[in-house]
Amino acid sequence: MSVALAENSATTTSAHLRDIRTTTLANGLLVLTERMPHLRSVAMGVWIDSGSRDEAPEVNGISHFIEHMVFKGTTTRSASQFAREVDAIGGNLDAFTGKETICFNIKVLDENVPAALDLLTDLVLHPTFDPSDLAKEQGVILEEIKMDEDNPDYLVHELFTQNFWKGDALGRPILGTSKTVSSFNQAIVLEEYARRFTPANMVFTAAGNIEHDAFVAQVEAAFCSLSASSSSRLVRTPAPTAYPHITLKNKKSLEQVQFCLAVPSLPVAHPDRYAAYLLNSILGGGMSSRLFQSIREERGLAYSIYSEMNPFRDTGSLAVYAGCSISNTTEVLKLTLAELTRVKAEPVTPEELKRAKDQIKGNMVLGLESSNSRMSSLARQQMYWGRFFSLDEITAEIDRVTAADLQRLANQLLQPESLALTLLGNLGNLKLERSDLAC
């Protein structure tokens, strides 16, 4: 069988050369590699272009459950055999589930690539989903849900998300609920596995000291059992509606009030994404940010305060998080809203803009210094853009953003009528109205 329907060299000609090559196998599986000959490691991952937001309400949590279950054994290996073989090659085998992806990955020395590839593909392609293992893993995940519900930082974000994208899969928890997880059986797991784990919904990426053609031949041999005829892209749901809301959740056992204030923001591939990341950096993206300096350093009202971007394929949010005492909650909220007002009313200074640009560029470069990060970068750029960006290209886009761009975007996003607020803690008699969120 011919190894490729198409091949594309994506090597850049910039100062930051990236030797990226792509090959599409006959069954439709896309394989991407980045050669990094100065390393002795190789990181590889199987990425499923589907996550918890592609679940029906009655099977909320099934993506995360499948991610756990594949580690319980395959047609040729038990869970303990996997552990022994991974340790024998000094590997690091891991997996995670997100709102829009599931990833299984392994990192090893370059000399152990064939063994690692065999382990990874066996894990992904040949799980047995044994009913006895399924019942045990339900217990494990129910404990994981309880553990997260005891974490106030996690819980306030979950409460916010569920009310912000109310009624949509994007708002539901990745782990699922006690009710949904308890309902899973082998038939449900097999059905969802067959629906998601198809060549059209997979990307295989690898980065490190690796030779593309030899690696592709090994991947083809491992994945030839996956038929192209049964493979089709998942139907995507429309972008969810974001609901402005004020949610006050009383939890008397907490010493602090957990605070999440947010507005709808840009999708991951939006042309203004670099301006959005710079705006986030200036507001609350580091120790020199306005919120950190105003609320923590100048007034000592909170230990933890930051802002964060949460972009998805068709929507997103820009959120501010803080933890503070109930006596400081109203003042922290007022100061946060004042900073949102200021960034809309006044252009940021040249010094602030330069500092934010340097911070983002530095984080980006440092974040691409390992084979793991390059492997992840390949997958995300393919799934969201279908192309690869050089460091020089991204740096030029960041440098093009002006103070006027940030002010325009701030006025576009930071609308009082769009604000959503979630408070969690021992709230006492605290009351808040929509008029309290003016900015």
Side-chain angles (χ1 to χ4, degrees):
M1 181 172 68
S2 173
V3 71
L5 291 180
E7 182 166 354
N8 171 44
S9 173
T11 306
T12 71
T13 57
S14 72
H16 302 284
L17 283 175
R18 294 188 66 177
D19 185 3
I20 298 170
R21 292 178 64 190
T22 71
T23 296
T24 303
L25 302 185
N27 63 3
L29 177 68
L30 187 62
V31 183
L32 302 93
T33 67
E34 179 168 4
R35 188 166 182 264
M36 304 170 72
H38 58 287
L39 298 183
R40 282 296 315 277
S41 68
V42 174
M44 63 186 83
V46 177
W47 295 76
I48 313 301
D49 191 10
S50 168
S52 63
R53 72 172 297 187
D54 299 301
E55 299 167 349
E58 60 273 15
V59 291
N60 176 215
I62 193 68
S63 304
H64 176 256
F65 192 78
I66 290 172
E67 176 228 308
H68 274 234
M69 282 300 302
V70 301
F71 284 87
K72 296 305 170 185
T74 68
T75 54
T76 59
R77 290 180 174 96
S78 66
S80 60
Q81 283 177 297
F82 266 107
R84 288 194 298 270
E85 290 188 46
V86 171
D87 287 348
I89 59 174
N92 183 10
L93 179 65
D94 200 5
F96 65 85
T97 301
K99 298 281 187 180
E100 297 182 329
T101 56
I102 310 169
C103 174
F104 304 90
N105 59 86
I106 189 168
K107 182 174 181 177
V108 292
L109 294 177
D110 50 12
E111 64 196 52
N112 293 322
V113 165
L117 179 62
D118 182 56
L119 285 164
L120 184 62
T121 53
D122 189 29
L123 185 87
V124 173
L125 296 181
H126 308 122
T128 56
F129 301 126
D130 185 271
S132 63
D133 289 329
L134 189 148
K136 285 185 285 189
E137 202 58 30
Q138 281 173 315
V140 170
I141 293 176
L142 291 175
E143 290 301 317
E144 187 179 0
I145 290 171
K146 291 174 187 174
M147 181 179 70
D148 283 343
E149 287 176 347
D150 284 340
N151 179 345
D153 187 348
Y154 168 87
L155 188 55
V156 74
H157 281 91
E158 278 300 321
L159 288 170
F160 162 76
T161 303
Q162 288 172 29
N163 287 285
F164 193 61
W165 287 302
K166 196 169 187 176
D168 189 85
L170 194 58
R172 291 193 281 270
I174 292 171
L175 299 186
T177 66
S178 298
K179 181 180 179 180
T180 58
V181 171
S182 298
S183 73
F184 296 159
N185 56 40
Q186 189 185 46
I188 291 171
V189 172
L190 287 169
E191 181 182 353
E192 285 294 321
Y193 173 83
R195 187 171 75 92
R196 314 278 195 92
F197 286 59
T198 64
N201 294 301
M202 283 182 179
V203 177
F204 199 124
T205 62
N209 190 15
I210 195 169
E211 200 283 312
H212 179 81
D213 292 333
F215 183 74
V216 167
Q218 295 174 65
V219 174
E220 182 196 30
F223 278 80
C224 63
S225 61
L226 278 184
S227 169
S229 61
S230 62
S231 181
S232 60
R233 296 286 295 166
L234 291 178
V235 177
R236 302 300 192 190
T237 56
T241 300
Y243 291 95
H245 64 87
I246 297 177
T247 301
L248 306 181
K249 178 72 172 179
N250 203 44
K251 191 168 184 178
K252 294 182 179 180
S253 62
L254 297 182
E255 294 292 331
Q256 281 192 318
V257 172
Q258 309 296 311
F259 164 130
C260 192
L261 178 74
V263 291
S265 186
L266 308 179
V268 67
H270 194 281
D272 275 336
R273 60 188 179 275
Y274 298 110
Y277 279 107
L278 288 166
L279 179 63
N280 173 68
S281 178
I282 288 167
L283 279 174
M287 293 177 64
S288 67
S289 66
R290 292 182 175 188
L291 289 169
F292 191 93
Q293 287 295 314
S294 171
I295 292 170
R296 173 171 161 158
E297 296 299 287
E298 294 174 14
R299 295 174 176 83
L301 297 173
Y303 173 76
S304 178
I305 180 160
Y306 59 84
S307 63
E308 58 184 353
M309 292 287 296
N310 298 294
F312 299 104
R313 61 181 177 243
D314 51 14
T315 187
S317 68
L318 170 59
V320 175
Y321 164 83
C324 60
S325 67
I326 182 61
S327 60
N328 292 336
T329 300
T330 302
E331 187 175 1
V332 170
L333 177 59
K334 287 180 178 178
L335 289 168
T336 300
L337 292 168
E339 292 299 343
L340 301 188
T341 299
R342 183 159 75 99
V343 80
K344 292 195 297 181
E346 306 168 6
V348 301
T349 66
E351 293 78 15
E352 268 189 306
L353 184 56
K354 182 179 185 304
R355 186 166 61 243
K357 288 180 177 181
D358 289 344
Q359 179 191 21
I360 288 177
K361 288 186 286 188
N363 289 343
M364 178 183 64
V365 172
L366 292 174
L368 288 174
E369 288 197 337
S370 71
S371 53
N372 269 97
S373 59
R374 293 289 180 102
M375 179 270 293
S376 297
S377 171
L378 287 179
R380 295 185 189 282
Q381 291 196 34
Q382 174 61 39
M383 289 189 291
Y384 286 117
W385 288 280
R387 56 158 297 194
F388 308 100
F389 297 86
S390 70
L391 288 172
D392 283 354
E393 190 175 0
I394 296 171
T395 297
E397 290 293 330
I398 292 170
D399 285 337
R400 267 195 281 272
V401 177
T402 66
D405 292 329
L406 294 190
Q407 191 173 15
R408 169 185 57 80
L409 187 61
N411 278 279
Q412 175 187 327
L413 297 179
L414 304 175
Q415 297 293 325
E417 62 272 17
S418 300
L419 282 168
L421 174 67
T422 298
L423 296 181
L424 169 71
N426 189 359
L427 302 178
N429 297 319
L430 180 67
K431 303 288 183 184
L432 287 170
E433 304 293 337
R434 172 58 53 178
S435 57
D436 295 319
L437 302 186
C439 66

